[in-house]
Structures are given as C-alpha cells and as structure tokens.
Amino acid sequence: MDNTVVIKGTKSGIILVLDSDTEYDKLKEAVASKFKESAAFLGKAQKAVAFQGRELTEEQKLEMIDIIHQNCQLSIVCIMEQDERLEHSFRQTLEKNLINQDYNTGQFFKGNLRSGQVLDVETSIIIIGDVKPGAKVISKGNVIILGSLKGNVYAGSSGNQNAFVVALDMDPMQIRIADTIARSPDKPKKKGVQITKIAFWEDGNIYIEPLDKDVMGDIRL
C-alpha cells in the first residue's frame, strides 16, 4: 500500500502525513494526486492544516497549500505548527470534539477507492462506490458500502465494538472492528449470487452474515 501521502480529516482541520524518504518533487506530485482524487469527498470548506512525518521549510509549506488549492475546493486558512505546546493544544481540542461526537451521524463519499488510497474519517461513512483491493477505509463509526468491498475496512477505530460494516458485495481482504481483526481465507470463494452482508463484533469475534430484518433488529447503535 502506498503511504507516501495520507490525509487525515478532522472536524476542524486536516493532518497531512508525508513520507520522510520520498524526494520532495515526487512528494508534491503525490500531494496533488491525492487531493485531486479526494476533491469530491473533501468538498468546499475552510480548514486548518498540520504537517506530520517530514520537516518542511516555510516556503515548502506554502507551496503545499498552493498545491492543495489547485487540486480541490478547500480553503486552507492557517497552518498548525508542529511544536509540543501547539500540538498538545490541537490534540486536546480534537479529543474534546470526539468525546461529544455521535458516531451514528455520518457523511457520504461518492466514487471508487483504488489501491493505495486511504479514507480516514471521524464519523460513520457511506461510500457510494467500490473499495478496491489495496484500498483502506478507517472510521470511528460504521462503514456502509453501496458497492463491492474488496479492500480493507477498519470500523470502530476509537474502540467502538458496536460498529459494523455493510457491503452489497462483501469480499474484503481484511475487516477490523475495534481491536478484533478478521481476514479473508486464502482459498478463493466460488462466485455465487450477490447478497448484501453485514460484519459485526460479538464476544471477541467478527461475524459476517446476510443482512436481513432479524439482523437489522439486533444492530446496537
């Protein structure tokens, strides 16, 4: 999986995690590509940005912001500097927001996630599209995929064991709910009739079952 650039969205800003070993010119190309691919999801908003994983000069930070503006409709209004005092303040603000957050609220993402792409959100997420092999979705709430799930999903990333994953075509490489991980079998399954399925946590295990009225009635929110 390509982790050259990872976008972590929060309620008030964006944390841009940059690989420390990638050449700067290639890093700029990766940032442009990542924000262009995520433009529909990010939408129009004013955000603060913080850079992690790599030391940047002031000129490079401004250049990165310019690249973001050119490839999506976000407006970056300030930079959170990476010193301990401000970082601690930033973390406290985020944690306070997350404590009061209702994980049952959610947002939408329309499009296919391809290999190397990471979608990391603070709420539940409804994806209108496919999650391809090598792509990854991380959510502190639930993940609902109105398409095929062939990649990796991490639901309840804050430790929420009531989180669940639903997909119209459930064939993941890996599903994680809270601290429990389930991997797909090495032996490929025979292609049968496509059935909407739900993955949920119970008694330390992850179960995948067809989504019907009985199962929906047992969902814990």
Side-chain angles (χ1 to χ4, degrees):
M1 184 179 295
D2 183 7
N3 288 323
T4 303
V5 176
V6 176
I7 301 172
K8 295 185 176 181
T10 71
K11 188 174 181 180
S12 59
I14 288 174
I15 300 173
L16 196 56
V17 184
L18 306 173
D19 181 63
S20 59
D21 298 322
T22 303
E23 294 178 7
Y24 181 66
D25 286 341
K26 291 183 178 179
L27 196 63
K28 289 194 296 181
E29 293 175 4
V31 170
S33 176
K34 183 71 73 172
F35 276 91
K36 189 172 183 179
E37 291 169 355
S38 305
F41 172 70
L42 294 169
K44 296 180 181 179
Q46 293 186 332
K47 295 284 186 180
V49 66
F51 298 99
Q52 290 184 356
R54 184 189 185 106
E55 290 289 330
L56 297 175
T57 66
E58 292 302 314
E59 184 178 350
Q60 288 173 335
K61 290 176 184 177
L62 293 176
E63 193 170 17
M64 287 293 180
I65 291 174
D66 220 23
I67 291 170
I68 294 171
H69 287 162
Q70 290 171 15
N71 289 279
C72 69
Q73 298 184 69
L74 286 182
S75 175
I76 304 300
V77 295
C78 66
I79 300 172
M80 298 295 295
E81 298 295 338
Q82 294 295 295
D83 64 60
E84 288 187 9
R85 180 179 58 84
L86 287 176
E87 184 64 24
H88 179 67
S89 175
F90 192 28
R91 189 180 301 113
Q92 278 189 323
T93 301
L94 293 179
E95 288 174 353
K96 184 178 179 181
N97 287 338
L98 291 176
I99 287 171
N100 297 321
Q101 191 169 60
D102 180 358
Y103 296 130
N104 297 325
T105 63
Q107 50 190 307
F108 289 86
F109 174 83
K110 185 175 182 180
N112 297 325
L113 291 172
R114 296 178 173 81
S115 180
Q117 291 184 293
V118 179
L119 179 59
D120 188 345
V121 296
E122 304 293 335
T123 63
S124 295
I125 181 75
I126 299 172
I127 298 170
I128 305 173
D130 299 330
V131 179
K132 303 288 188 180
K136 186 173 185 179
V137 180
I138 304 171
S139 167
K140 286 184 168 63
N142 309 309
V143 178
I144 298 173
I145 300 166
L146 302 181
S148 64
L149 169 56
K150 308 286 187 181
N152 302 319
V153 169
Y154 182 7
S157 61
S158 61
N160 178 16
Q161 295 173 341
N162 290 333
F164 57 83
V165 179
V166 170
L168 299 185
D169 182 10
M170 181 83 75
D171 187 20
M173 296 176 67
Q174 182 186 98
I175 285 182
R176 179 174 177 179
I177 298 176
D179 295 325
T180 303
I181 298 174
R183 294 179 175 85
S184 62
D186 294 333
K187 189 176 181 179
K189 296 183 294 185
K190 292 182 180 179
K191 196 67 176 178
V193 178
Q194 182 176 306
I195 301 174
T196 302
K197 293 183 178 180
I198 181 170
F200 58 92
W201 185 97
E202 188 173 305
D203 296 330
N205 295 301
I206 293 175
Y207 298 91
I208 298 177
E209 296 182 0
L211 184 63
D212 56 27
K213 290 183 179 180
D214 291 336
V215 173
M216 286 192 288
D218 292 337
I219 289 175
R220 300 181 297 262
L221 295 177

